[in-house]
Amino acid sequence: MREISGHRKRKYIPVDIEEVEVRSKYFKKENDKTVESLQDTKIIGDLSNHEVNIDWIKALKPIEYFEWIESRTCDNPKTWGQAITKEEMVNDSRVEIPKNFLPIYNRVRLMRSKVNTPVDAMGCSMIPVLVSNKCGIPSEKVDPKNFRLQFLIGTMLSAQTRDERMAQAALNITEYCLDTLKIPEGITLDGLLKINESTLVDLIRCVSFYTRKANFIKRTAQLLVDNFNSDIPYDIEGVLSLPGVGPKMGYLTLQKGWGLIAGICVDVHVHRLCKMWNWVDPINCKTAEHTRRELQTWLPHSLWYEINTVLVGFGQLICMARGKRCDLCLANDVCNARNLKLIKSSKFHQLKDEEDMEKVYSHWLDTLTDGITAQRHKRK
């Protein structure tokens, strides 16, 4: 078995059970002429910020499909090195953008552009590609429908589980499909239906709540056949109808499966950091869903996808819930929650001139790398 190594005035946003963003159960399908027109003019299936052309996406070949998803949901940290300008901070609402958002977020993006974190290597968005590579399945041989399914399964495995363990569980299922069921594509819907639930429990034992998740996966496989034409749903209502799938998983599945940016993925890191920086009301936003709702009232849609990956990686390595590294944080002079005692031991806040920045980054990376290595050894 392989292994995979400042306060502002705001309006309280109540959270309802129903997702108000959902316009209808499924997005309206375009007729053949519309699809042909989109292809002829090379409009990549994008109808608006909040919907996509499902028929067009389903017709894409593997390489075209992955290029489309990449164009909508880029996960390359190198792209975050360029600062966001005030002119780019355009939203469709009248809700005020927090004054400390750009100063903090730009520096967090800069830090994220210079170091890879666990979510970059083994996060949900990387699992289908990572596992396929491990098993020698080239991307041009990966059916987009199977990729969408594999991504959904990865998100279901990820709940309250470290990325490394989630990746291992996905690899275990893939190997079983390859070696025992003789399915060359790895995880497929047919394969999941054939795997006995007790066998699935053993394959994913490395993740938390593995018995419950195995049951969720088996039930989901049958629901996809019965209700969704053997593919993953393409609206939030459909995704949330699957057992064990919450809003964070649901919106992420839509993003990476269909390129549909219909909502912000808010996990524990995003929830914690947004409250800490007062980007959302720290008192009224008691849950991640509260935070998502308020964040979406003012955050420009262009940042709805990236903010999750940016903040998750930052929360994993630099601003952890316990043991924050304010001494290493390049935003320690603008952060409202900084630890002044830690900052006094930092060599970074004293170096402000541009000619010193390369030296700062070099020392920062060396120190951070040493810290990551020590943390990994401690886990083992």
Side-chain angles (χ1 to χ4, degrees), residues 36-186:
E36 290 175 0
S37 174
L38 285 170
Q39 292 170 329
D40 290 341
T41 56
K42 296 184 180 180
I43 298 176
I44 317 180
D46 190 10
L47 301 178
S48 74
N49 281 338
H50 299 279
E51 61 181 66
V52 294
N53 188 293
I54 298 300
D55 286 339
W56 184 90
I57 295 172
K58 286 183 176 181
L60 293 175
K61 295 179 180 179
I63 298 302
E64 297 170 333
Y65 170 78
F66 293 123
E67 288 178 350
W68 152 250
I69 296 299
E70 176 68 14
S71 72
R72 297 280 286 184
T73 60
C74 180
D75 289 304
N76 183 1
K78 301 301 181 184
T79 63
W80 300 327
Q82 175 108 26
I84 300 170
T85 65
K86 290 183 179 179
E87 290 70 28
E88 294 175 282
M89 290 297 296
V90 178
N91 59 25
D92 298 327
S93 72
R94 296 181 180 179
V95 179
E96 179 186 0
I97 296 174
K99 292 181 180 179
N100 69 343
F101 175 73
L102 269 186
I104 293 176
Y105 191 66
N106 271 333
R107 299 190 193 198
V108 171
R109 286 177 98 242
L110 178 62
M111 286 182 275
R112 290 287 283 107
S113 73
K114 295 186 175 295
V115 63
N116 286 325
T117 67
V119 72
D120 299 321
M122 296 184 185
C124 289
S125 61
M126 302 301 298
I127 288 308
V129 175
L130 179 64
V131 170
S132 294
N133 289 340
K134 279 280 182 180
C135 295
I137 305 173
S139 58
E140 61 269 18
K141 297 294 184 180
V142 178
D143 187 315
K145 182 183 286 190
N146 290 336
F147 173 87
R148 291 191 286 270
L149 173 67
Q150 292 162 12
F151 188 87
L152 173 62
I153 299 305
T155 63
M156 295 176 73
L157 293 171
S158 70
Q160 299 183 53
T161 298
R162 288 178 181 172
D163 291 334
E164 298 90 337
R165 294 182 179 180
M166 177 264 292
Q168 185 63 58
L171 180 62
N172 293 346
I173 301 174
T174 302
E175 288 184 323
Y176 185 86
C177 290
L178 289 168
D179 301 335
T180 304
L181 300 181
K182 306 301 180 184
I183 301 175
E185 296 90 352

Side-chain angles (χ1 to χ4, degrees), residues 227-241:
N227 300 339
F228 300 102
N229 197 26
S230 298
D231 206 338
I232 70 168
Y234 45 84
D235 72 352
I236 192 62
E237 183 182 26
V239 178
L240 293 183
S241 72

